[in-house]
Amino acid sequence: MSTLTLPPQATPAGLAVDIAAFAMHQGELQVLLVERGTLPHARTWALPGGFVQLNEELHEAALRELRTETTVELEPRLLEQFYTFGAVDRDPRGRIVSVAHMAVLPHGTVSVTGGGNTLGAGWFPAHQPPPLAFDHAEILAHAIERLQVRLEYANLALEFLPETFTLPELQGVHEAILNRKLDKRNFRKRLLAQGVLATSGERRSGVGRPAQLYRRAGRLRLVGNL
């Protein structure tokens, strides 16, 4: 049996994954960051990530790095590849190509600590992050754009909420991702007309009239601008 080899013009390159992991905290879209403990960019905030092992699938590498560097043990509600970053000078250590992943962590994922070679981990406002290492500001911007696009055709907003929720909470997720206010009446009218939500039969008590709770009834599809 002949042995296949790379052609001589093939350039060695490192393969990595970076993960933009999001959650809603106190009505704000937040992203999970780690403080790097090693060079380059030591003591700088960055997206969780690292190199892919030889016999490892990309999504496996993304989950491993997320769990190792942030001690998050819960399974993401969503984990998907969304872009590949391969600029020649994106990493001072050499030619490294990163397959970026977007993740939505379950509702209530708040407590995180740094693991592996990181000095710490924490949640930060996704639209106003601190200075980030490498090209991670660009990766984060692309990830937010991906979130915004998916609001238009998928049930992405529901992945940020518990099993039952109020319409103001659902609208709050949309506004947090889009980073702008939406018209309340227009939002509710168009959403309820699509039949993708069902009442849970329960109400949440609080200040004023108890709020009706809803649950997922199908795929959410928002078309056009709100």
Short mmCIF file of all heavy atoms in Angstrom, two decimals, residues 140-198:
data_model
loop_
_atom_site.label_atom_id
_atom_site.label_comp_id
_atom_site.label_asym_id
_atom_site.label_seq_id
_atom_site.Cartn_x
_atom_site.Cartn_y
_atom_site.Cartn_z
N LEU A 140 -15.49 38.26 17.77
CA LEU A 140 -16.69 38.56 18.55
C LEU A 140 -17.68 39.37 17.73
O LEU A 140 -18.89 39.11 17.77
CB LEU A 140 -16.29 39.32 19.82
CG LEU A 140 -17.44 39.81 20.70
CD1 LEU A 140 -18.33 38.65 21.14
CD2 LEU A 140 -16.89 40.56 21.92
N ALA A 141 -17.21 40.33 16.97
CA ALA A 141 -18.10 41.14 16.14
C ALA A 141 -18.82 40.27 15.11
O ALA A 141 -20.04 40.43 14.89
CB ALA A 141 -17.32 42.25 15.43
N HIS A 142 -18.11 39.34 14.50
CA HIS A 142 -18.74 38.41 13.55
C HIS A 142 -19.77 37.53 14.26
O HIS A 142 -20.82 37.22 13.69
CB HIS A 142 -17.68 37.55 12.87
CG HIS A 142 -17.04 38.17 11.67
ND1 HIS A 142 -16.14 39.21 11.77
CD2 HIS A 142 -17.17 37.92 10.35
CE1 HIS A 142 -15.74 39.55 10.57
NE2 HIS A 142 -16.35 38.79 9.68
N ALA A 143 -19.47 37.10 15.47
CA ALA A 143 -20.39 36.24 16.21
C ALA A 143 -21.68 36.98 16.53
O ALA A 143 -22.79 36.42 16.42
CB ALA A 143 -19.73 35.74 17.49
N ILE A 144 -21.57 38.25 16.92
CA ILE A 144 -22.77 39.03 17.21
C ILE A 144 -23.59 39.22 15.95
O ILE A 144 -24.83 39.14 15.97
CB ILE A 144 -22.38 40.38 17.84
CG1 ILE A 144 -21.79 40.16 19.23
CG2 ILE A 144 -23.59 41.31 17.93
CD1 ILE A 144 -21.24 41.41 19.88
N GLU A 145 -22.94 39.47 14.83
CA GLU A 145 -23.65 39.59 13.56
C GLU A 145 -24.40 38.30 13.24
O GLU A 145 -25.53 38.33 12.75
CB GLU A 145 -22.67 39.91 12.44
CG GLU A 145 -22.10 41.32 12.50
CD GLU A 145 -21.09 41.58 11.40
OE1 GLU A 145 -20.88 40.67 10.56
OE2 GLU A 145 -20.51 42.67 11.37
N ARG A 146 -23.77 37.17 13.54
CA ARG A 146 -24.42 35.88 13.30
C ARG A 146 -25.65 35.72 14.19
O ARG A 146 -26.70 35.24 13.74
CB ARG A 146 -23.41 34.75 13.58
CG ARG A 146 -23.97 33.34 13.45
CD ARG A 146 -24.37 33.04 12.03
NE ARG A 146 -24.76 31.65 11.91
CZ ARG A 146 -25.38 31.14 10.85
NH1 ARG A 146 -25.67 31.92 9.81
NH2 ARG A 146 -25.70 29.86 10.81
N LEU A 147 -25.55 36.13 15.45
CA LEU A 147 -26.71 36.10 16.34
C LEU A 147 -27.85 36.93 15.77
O LEU A 147 -29.01 36.51 15.76
CB LEU A 147 -26.33 36.64 17.72
CG LEU A 147 -25.48 35.77 18.64
CD1 LEU A 147 -25.20 36.54 19.94
CD2 LEU A 147 -26.16 34.45 18.97
N GLN A 148 -27.52 38.12 15.29
CA GLN A 148 -28.55 39.02 14.78
C GLN A 148 -29.22 38.47 13.54
O GLN A 148 -30.44 38.58 13.38
CB GLN A 148 -27.92 40.39 14.51
CG GLN A 148 -27.45 41.10 15.78
CD GLN A 148 -26.65 42.35 15.51
OE1 GLN A 148 -26.12 42.53 14.41
NE2 GLN A 148 -26.51 43.21 16.50
N VAL A 149 -28.45 37.85 12.66
CA VAL A 149 -29.02 37.26 11.46
C VAL A 149 -29.95 36.11 11.82
O VAL A 149 -31.05 35.97 11.26
CB VAL A 149 -27.90 36.76 10.51
CG1 VAL A 149 -28.48 35.89 9.40
CG2 VAL A 149 -27.16 37.95 9.91
N ARG A 150 -29.55 35.31 12.79
CA ARG A 150 -30.37 34.15 13.16
C ARG A 150 -31.67 34.54 13.85
O ARG A 150 -32.60 33.73 13.91
CB ARG A 150 -29.57 33.19 14.03
CG ARG A 150 -28.46 32.50 13.27
CD ARG A 150 -28.10 31.17 13.89
NE ARG A 150 -29.21 30.26 13.92
CZ ARG A 150 -29.18 29.05 14.47
NH1 ARG A 150 -28.07 28.62 15.03
NH2 ARG A 150 -30.22 28.27 14.48
N LEU A 151 -31.76 35.74 14.37
CA LEU A 151 -33.04 36.20 14.91
C LEU A 151 -34.09 36.31 13.82
O LEU A 151 -35.29 36.23 14.09
CB LEU A 151 -32.86 37.56 15.58
CG LEU A 151 -32.23 37.60 16.97
CD1 LEU A 151 -32.12 39.03 17.45
CD2 LEU A 151 -33.02 36.77 17.97
N GLU A 152 -33.66 36.49 12.59
CA GLU A 152 -34.58 36.72 11.49
C GLU A 152 -35.22 35.44 10.97
O GLU A 152 -36.24 35.48 10.30
CB GLU A 152 -33.85 37.43 10.34
CG GLU A 152 -33.28 38.79 10.71
CD GLU A 152 -34.34 39.80 11.07
OE1 GLU A 152 -35.46 39.68 10.54
OE2 GLU A 152 -34.06 40.69 11.87
N TYR A 153 -34.60 34.28 11.24
CA TYR A 153 -35.17 33.08 10.63
C TYR A 153 -35.19 31.86 11.54
O TYR A 153 -35.66 30.79 11.12
CB TYR A 153 -34.41 32.73 9.35
CG TYR A 153 -32.98 32.26 9.56
CD1 TYR A 153 -32.69 30.92 9.81
CD2 TYR A 153 -31.93 33.16 9.52
CE1 TYR A 153 -31.39 30.49 10.01
CE2 TYR A 153 -30.62 32.74 9.70
CZ TYR A 153 -30.36 31.41 9.95
OH TYR A 153 -29.06 30.98 10.14
N ALA A 154 -34.74 31.96 12.75
CA ALA A 154 -34.69 30.78 13.62
C ALA A 154 -35.13 31.15 15.02
O ALA A 154 -35.35 32.30 15.35
CB ALA A 154 -33.27 30.20 13.63
N ASN A 155 -35.26 30.13 15.85
CA ASN A 155 -35.75 30.33 17.22
C ASN A 155 -34.60 30.62 18.19
O ASN A 155 -34.64 30.23 19.35
CB ASN A 155 -36.53 29.11 17.69
CG ASN A 155 -35.69 27.84 17.67
OD1 ASN A 155 -34.54 27.87 17.25
ND2 ASN A 155 -36.26 26.74 18.11
N LEU A 156 -33.60 31.31 17.74
CA LEU A 156 -32.41 31.54 18.55
C LEU A 156 -32.72 32.22 19.87
O LEU A 156 -32.15 31.87 20.91
CB LEU A 156 -31.40 32.37 17.76
CG LEU A 156 -30.12 32.68 18.51
CD1 LEU A 156 -29.24 31.44 18.58
CD2 LEU A 156 -29.36 33.82 17.87
N ALA A 157 -33.61 33.21 19.88
CA ALA A 157 -33.89 33.95 21.11
C ALA A 157 -34.39 33.03 22.21
O ALA A 157 -34.10 33.25 23.39
CB ALA A 157 -34.92 35.05 20.84
N LEU A 158 -35.11 31.98 21.84
CA LEU A 158 -35.64 31.06 22.84
C LEU A 158 -34.55 30.27 23.54
O LEU A 158 -34.74 29.79 24.66
CB LEU A 158 -36.64 30.09 22.20
CG LEU A 158 -37.86 30.73 21.53
CD1 LEU A 158 -38.78 29.66 20.96
CD2 LEU A 158 -38.61 31.61 22.51
N GLU A 159 -33.39 30.12 22.90
CA GLU A 159 -32.29 29.38 23.52
C GLU A 159 -31.71 30.12 24.72
O GLU A 159 -31.02 29.52 25.54
CB GLU A 159 -31.18 29.12 22.48
CG GLU A 159 -31.62 28.42 21.22
CD GLU A 159 -32.18 27.03 21.45
OE1 GLU A 159 -31.97 26.48 22.55
OE2 GLU A 159 -32.83 26.50 20.54
N PHE A 160 -31.98 31.41 24.84
CA PHE A 160 -31.46 32.20 25.96
C PHE A 160 -32.39 32.19 27.16
O PHE A 160 -32.04 32.73 28.21
CB PHE A 160 -31.25 33.65 25.52
CG PHE A 160 -30.08 33.85 24.60
CD1 PHE A 160 -30.20 33.72 23.24
CD2 PHE A 160 -28.83 34.20 25.12
CE1 PHE A 160 -29.12 33.92 22.39
CE2 PHE A 160 -27.74 34.40 24.29
CZ PHE A 160 -27.89 34.25 22.93
N LEU A 161 -33.59 31.60 27.03
CA LEU A 161 -34.62 31.71 28.05
C LEU A 161 -34.87 30.37 28.74
O LEU A 161 -34.57 29.31 28.19
CB LEU A 161 -35.91 32.20 27.41
CG LEU A 161 -35.86 33.64 26.86
CD1 LEU A 161 -37.09 33.90 26.00
CD2 LEU A 161 -35.77 34.64 28.00
N PRO A 162 -35.46 30.40 29.94
CA PRO A 162 -35.88 29.14 30.57
C PRO A 162 -37.06 28.54 29.84
O PRO A 162 -37.54 29.10 28.84
CB PRO A 162 -36.25 29.59 32.00
CG PRO A 162 -36.62 31.03 31.86
CD PRO A 162 -35.73 31.58 30.78
N GLU A 163 -37.57 27.44 30.32
CA GLU A 163 -38.65 26.72 29.62
C GLU A 163 -39.89 27.58 29.46
O GLU A 163 -40.57 27.53 28.44
CB GLU A 163 -39.00 25.43 30.37
CG GLU A 163 -40.06 24.59 29.69
CD GLU A 163 -40.34 23.29 30.42
OE1 GLU A 163 -39.59 22.96 31.36
OE2 GLU A 163 -41.31 22.60 30.06
N THR A 164 -40.24 28.37 30.47
CA THR A 164 -41.36 29.30 30.38
C THR A 164 -40.84 30.71 30.58
O THR A 164 -39.88 30.94 31.32
CB THR A 164 -42.44 28.98 31.43
OG1 THR A 164 -41.88 29.04 32.74
CG2 THR A 164 -43.04 27.60 31.19
N PHE A 165 -41.50 31.67 29.94
CA PHE A 165 -41.01 33.04 29.93
C PHE A 165 -42.16 33.98 29.58
O PHE A 165 -43.22 33.56 29.11
CB PHE A 165 -39.89 33.20 28.89
CG PHE A 165 -40.24 32.60 27.55
CD1 PHE A 165 -40.95 33.33 26.60
CD2 PHE A 165 -39.90 31.29 27.25
CE1 PHE A 165 -41.30 32.77 25.38
CE2 PHE A 165 -40.24 30.72 26.04
CZ PHE A 165 -40.95 31.46 25.10
N THR A 166 -41.95 35.25 29.83
CA THR A 166 -42.93 36.26 29.48
C THR A 166 -42.57 36.90 28.14
O THR A 166 -41.42 36.81 27.69
CB THR A 166 -43.00 37.36 30.55
OG1 THR A 166 -41.76 38.08 30.57
CG2 THR A 166 -43.28 36.77 31.93
N LEU A 167 -43.54 37.54 27.53
CA LEU A 167 -43.25 38.24 26.27
C LEU A 167 -42.26 39.38 26.46
O LEU A 167 -41.39 39.58 25.59
CB LEU A 167 -44.55 38.74 25.65
CG LEU A 167 -45.50 37.66 25.09
CD1 LEU A 167 -46.71 38.31 24.44
CD2 LEU A 167 -44.78 36.76 24.10
N PRO A 168 -42.32 40.15 27.56
CA PRO A 168 -41.28 41.16 27.76
C PRO A 168 -39.88 40.55 27.86
O PRO A 168 -38.91 41.15 27.37
CB PRO A 168 -41.70 41.83 29.07
CG PRO A 168 -43.17 41.67 29.13
CD PRO A 168 -43.42 40.31 28.54
N GLU A 169 -39.76 39.37 28.46
CA GLU A 169 -38.45 38.72 28.53
C GLU A 169 -37.96 38.32 27.15
O GLU A 169 -36.77 38.48 26.83
CB GLU A 169 -38.52 37.51 29.46
CG GLU A 169 -38.66 37.87 30.93
CD GLU A 169 -38.94 36.67 31.80
OE1 GLU A 169 -39.42 35.64 31.28
OE2 GLU A 169 -38.70 36.77 33.02
N LEU A 170 -38.86 37.81 26.32
CA LEU A 170 -38.48 37.42 24.96
C LEU A 170 -38.09 38.65 24.14
O LEU A 170 -37.09 38.63 23.42
CB LEU A 170 -39.63 36.68 24.29
CG LEU A 170 -39.40 36.22 22.85
CD1 LEU A 170 -38.18 35.32 22.75
CD2 LEU A 170 -40.64 35.48 22.32
N GLN A 171 -38.86 39.72 24.27
CA GLN A 171 -38.51 40.94 23.57
C GLN A 171 -37.17 41.49 24.07
O GLN A 171 -36.36 41.99 23.29
CB GLN A 171 -39.59 42.01 23.75
CG GLN A 171 -39.30 43.31 23.01
CD GLN A 171 -40.46 44.28 23.07
OE1 GLN A 171 -41.61 43.91 23.28
NE2 GLN A 171 -40.16 45.57 22.87
N GLY A 172 -36.92 41.33 25.36
CA GLY A 172 -35.65 41.79 25.92
C GLY A 172 -34.46 41.09 25.31
O GLY A 172 -33.40 41.70 25.12
N VAL A 173 -34.59 39.80 25.01
CA VAL A 173 -33.50 39.06 24.38
C VAL A 173 -33.24 39.62 22.99
O VAL A 173 -32.08 39.85 22.60
CB VAL A 173 -33.83 37.55 24.31
CG1 VAL A 173 -32.76 36.82 23.49
CG2 VAL A 173 -33.93 36.96 25.70
N HIS A 174 -34.31 39.87 22.23
CA HIS A 174 -34.15 40.44 20.89
C HIS A 174 -33.45 41.80 20.96
O HIS A 174 -32.54 42.09 20.18
CB HIS A 174 -35.51 40.58 20.21
CG HIS A 174 -36.04 39.30 19.65
ND1 HIS A 174 -35.97 38.98 18.31
CD2 HIS A 174 -36.63 38.24 20.25
CE1 HIS A 174 -36.51 37.79 18.10
NE2 HIS A 174 -36.93 37.32 19.27
N GLU A 175 -33.90 42.63 21.89
CA GLU A 175 -33.32 43.96 22.00
C GLU A 175 -31.86 43.91 22.43
O GLU A 175 -31.03 44.70 21.96
CB GLU A 175 -34.14 44.79 22.99
CG GLU A 175 -35.54 45.11 22.48
CD GLU A 175 -36.38 45.88 23.49
OE1 GLU A 175 -36.06 45.82 24.70
OE2 GLU A 175 -37.35 46.54 23.07
N ALA A 176 -31.54 42.97 23.33
CA ALA A 176 -30.16 42.85 23.80
C ALA A 176 -29.22 42.40 22.67
O ALA A 176 -28.09 42.87 22.57
CB ALA A 176 -30.09 41.86 24.96
N ILE A 177 -29.69 41.49 21.83
CA ILE A 177 -28.86 41.01 20.72
C ILE A 177 -28.74 42.07 19.63
O ILE A 177 -27.65 42.31 19.09
CB ILE A 177 -29.44 39.70 20.15
CG1 ILE A 177 -29.32 38.58 21.19
CG2 ILE A 177 -28.72 39.30 18.86
CD1 ILE A 177 -29.97 37.28 20.79
N LEU A 178 -29.85 42.73 19.31
CA LEU A 178 -29.84 43.76 18.27
C LEU A 178 -29.24 45.07 18.76
O LEU A 178 -28.88 45.93 17.95
CB LEU A 178 -31.27 44.00 17.77
CG LEU A 178 -31.94 42.83 17.06
CD1 LEU A 178 -33.41 43.14 16.81
CD2 LEU A 178 -31.24 42.52 15.75
N ASN A 179 -29.19 45.23 20.09
CA ASN A 179 -28.65 46.45 20.70
C ASN A 179 -29.47 47.67 20.33
O ASN A 179 -28.94 48.76 20.09
CB ASN A 179 -27.18 46.66 20.30
CG ASN A 179 -26.45 47.59 21.26
OD1 ASN A 179 -26.79 47.69 22.44
ND2 ASN A 179 -25.42 48.27 20.77
N ARG A 180 -30.79 47.50 20.30
CA ARG A 180 -31.70 48.61 20.04
C ARG A 180 -33.09 48.23 20.55
O ARG A 180 -33.41 47.05 20.73
CB ARG A 180 -31.77 48.94 18.56
CG ARG A 180 -32.29 47.82 17.66
CD ARG A 180 -32.30 48.24 16.20
NE ARG A 180 -32.67 47.17 15.30
CZ ARG A 180 -33.92 46.86 14.96
NH1 ARG A 180 -34.94 47.56 15.46
NH2 ARG A 180 -34.17 45.87 14.12
N LYS A 181 -33.91 49.24 20.79
CA LYS A 181 -35.27 49.02 21.26
C LYS A 181 -36.19 48.63 20.11
O LYS A 181 -35.99 49.05 18.96
CB LYS A 181 -35.81 50.27 21.96
CG LYS A 181 -35.12 50.61 23.28
CD LYS A 181 -35.46 49.55 24.32
CE LYS A 181 -34.87 49.91 25.68
NZ LYS A 181 -35.20 48.89 26.71
N LEU A 182 -37.21 47.83 20.43
CA LEU A 182 -38.22 47.42 19.45
C LEU A 182 -39.59 47.93 19.90
O LEU A 182 -39.84 48.08 21.10
CB LEU A 182 -38.26 45.89 19.32
CG LEU A 182 -36.97 45.22 18.88
CD1 LEU A 182 -37.13 43.70 18.93
CD2 LEU A 182 -36.55 45.66 17.49
N ASP A 183 -40.44 48.16 18.94
CA ASP A 183 -41.80 48.59 19.25
C ASP A 183 -42.57 47.42 19.89
O ASP A 183 -42.69 46.35 19.30
CB ASP A 183 -42.52 49.04 17.98
CG ASP A 183 -43.94 49.48 18.25
OD1 ASP A 183 -44.13 50.60 18.75
OD2 ASP A 183 -44.86 48.68 17.98
N LYS A 184 -43.06 47.64 21.09
CA LYS A 184 -43.70 46.58 21.86
C LYS A 184 -44.92 46.00 21.16
O LYS A 184 -45.06 44.78 21.02
CB LYS A 184 -44.08 47.11 23.24
CG LYS A 184 -44.82 46.12 24.12
CD LYS A 184 -45.15 46.76 25.47
CE LYS A 184 -45.97 45.81 26.34
NZ LYS A 184 -46.29 46.45 27.66
N ARG A 185 -45.80 46.86 20.69
CA ARG A 185 -47.04 46.38 20.08
C ARG A 185 -46.76 45.61 18.79
O ARG A 185 -47.31 44.54 18.56
CB ARG A 185 -47.97 47.56 19.80
CG ARG A 185 -49.30 47.16 19.15
CD ARG A 185 -50.18 48.36 18.94
NE ARG A 185 -50.53 49.00 20.21
CZ ARG A 185 -51.28 50.10 20.31
NH1 ARG A 185 -51.75 50.68 19.22
NH2 ARG A 185 -51.55 50.61 21.50
N ASN A 186 -45.89 46.15 17.96
CA ASN A 186 -45.57 45.50 16.68
C ASN A 186 -44.87 44.17 16.91
O ASN A 186 -45.16 43.18 16.23
CB ASN A 186 -44.69 46.42 15.84
CG ASN A 186 -44.51 45.91 14.42
OD1 ASN A 186 -45.42 45.33 13.85
ND2 ASN A 186 -43.34 46.15 13.85
N PHE A 187 -43.95 44.13 17.88
CA PHE A 187 -43.23 42.89 18.18
C PHE A 187 -44.20 41.79 18.60
O PHE A 187 -44.16 40.67 18.08
CB PHE A 187 -42.20 43.15 19.29
CG PHE A 187 -41.46 41.92 19.73
CD1 PHE A 187 -40.34 41.49 19.05
CD2 PHE A 187 -41.89 41.18 20.83
CE1 PHE A 187 -39.65 40.35 19.44
CE2 PHE A 187 -41.21 40.04 21.24
CZ PHE A 187 -40.08 39.64 20.54
N ARG A 188 -45.07 42.09 19.55
CA ARG A 188 -46.00 41.07 20.05
C ARG A 188 -47.01 40.63 19.00
O ARG A 188 -47.31 39.44 18.88
CB ARG A 188 -46.74 41.61 21.28
CG ARG A 188 -45.82 41.86 22.46
CD ARG A 188 -46.61 42.20 23.70
NE ARG A 188 -45.72 42.35 24.85
CZ ARG A 188 -46.14 42.42 26.10
NH1 ARG A 188 -47.44 42.36 26.36
NH2 ARG A 188 -45.29 42.55 27.09
N LYS A 189 -47.51 41.57 18.23
CA LYS A 189 -48.50 41.24 17.20
C LYS A 189 -47.93 40.28 16.19
O LYS A 189 -48.56 39.26 15.85
CB LYS A 189 -48.98 42.53 16.54
CG LYS A 189 -50.01 42.30 15.44
CD LYS A 189 -50.44 43.62 14.82
CE LYS A 189 -51.43 43.39 13.69
NZ LYS A 189 -51.85 44.70 13.07
N ARG A 190 -46.76 40.57 15.68
CA ARG A 190 -46.16 39.74 14.65
C ARG A 190 -45.72 38.39 15.20
O ARG A 190 -45.82 37.36 14.54
CB ARG A 190 -44.98 40.47 14.01
CG ARG A 190 -45.38 41.75 13.31
CD ARG A 190 -44.21 42.42 12.65
NE ARG A 190 -43.65 41.59 11.59
CZ ARG A 190 -42.60 41.94 10.87
NH1 ARG A 190 -41.99 43.09 11.12
NH2 ARG A 190 -42.16 41.15 9.92
N LEU A 191 -45.22 38.39 16.44
CA LEU A 191 -44.76 37.15 17.04
C LEU A 191 -45.91 36.19 17.31
O LEU A 191 -45.86 35.01 16.92
CB LEU A 191 -44.02 37.46 18.34
CG LEU A 191 -43.36 36.28 19.05
CD1 LEU A 191 -42.27 35.67 18.17
CD2 LEU A 191 -42.79 36.72 20.38
N LEU A 192 -46.97 36.68 17.94
CA LEU A 192 -48.10 35.81 18.29
C LEU A 192 -48.85 35.33 17.06
O LEU A 192 -49.42 34.24 17.06
CB LEU A 192 -49.05 36.55 19.24
CG LEU A 192 -48.46 36.88 20.62
CD1 LEU A 192 -49.45 37.69 21.45
CD2 LEU A 192 -48.08 35.60 21.36
N ALA A 193 -48.84 36.13 15.99
CA ALA A 193 -49.55 35.74 14.77
C ALA A 193 -48.91 34.55 14.08
O ALA A 193 -49.57 33.86 13.29
CB ALA A 193 -49.61 36.93 13.81
N GLN A 194 -47.67 34.26 14.40
CA GLN A 194 -46.97 33.16 13.72
C GLN A 194 -47.22 31.81 14.37
O GLN A 194 -46.85 30.77 13.82
CB GLN A 194 -45.47 33.46 13.69
CG GLN A 194 -45.14 34.67 12.84
CD GLN A 194 -43.67 35.02 12.91
OE1 GLN A 194 -42.82 34.14 12.90
NE2 GLN A 194 -43.36 36.29 12.98
N GLY A 195 -47.84 31.79 15.54
CA GLY A 195 -48.19 30.53 16.18
C GLY A 195 -47.02 29.71 16.67
O GLY A 195 -47.12 28.48 16.78
N VAL A 196 -45.90 30.35 16.97
CA VAL A 196 -44.72 29.61 17.41
C VAL A 196 -44.61 29.54 18.93
O VAL A 196 -43.74 28.86 19.46
CB VAL A 196 -43.44 30.23 16.83
CG1 VAL A 196 -43.42 30.11 15.32
CG2 VAL A 196 -43.32 31.68 17.27
N LEU A 197 -45.50 30.27 19.63
CA LEU A 197 -45.53 30.24 21.08
C LEU A 197 -46.86 29.72 21.57
O LEU A 197 -47.88 29.85 20.90
CB LEU A 197 -45.29 31.64 21.66
CG LEU A 197 -43.98 32.35 21.30
CD1 LEU A 197 -43.96 33.72 21.95
CD2 LEU A 197 -42.79 31.52 21.73
N ALA A 198 -46.85 29.10 22.73
CA ALA A 198 -48.07 28.61 23.36
C ALA A 198 -48.10 29.07 24.80
O ALA A 198 -47.05 29.16 25.45
CB ALA A 198 -48.15 27.08 23.29
#
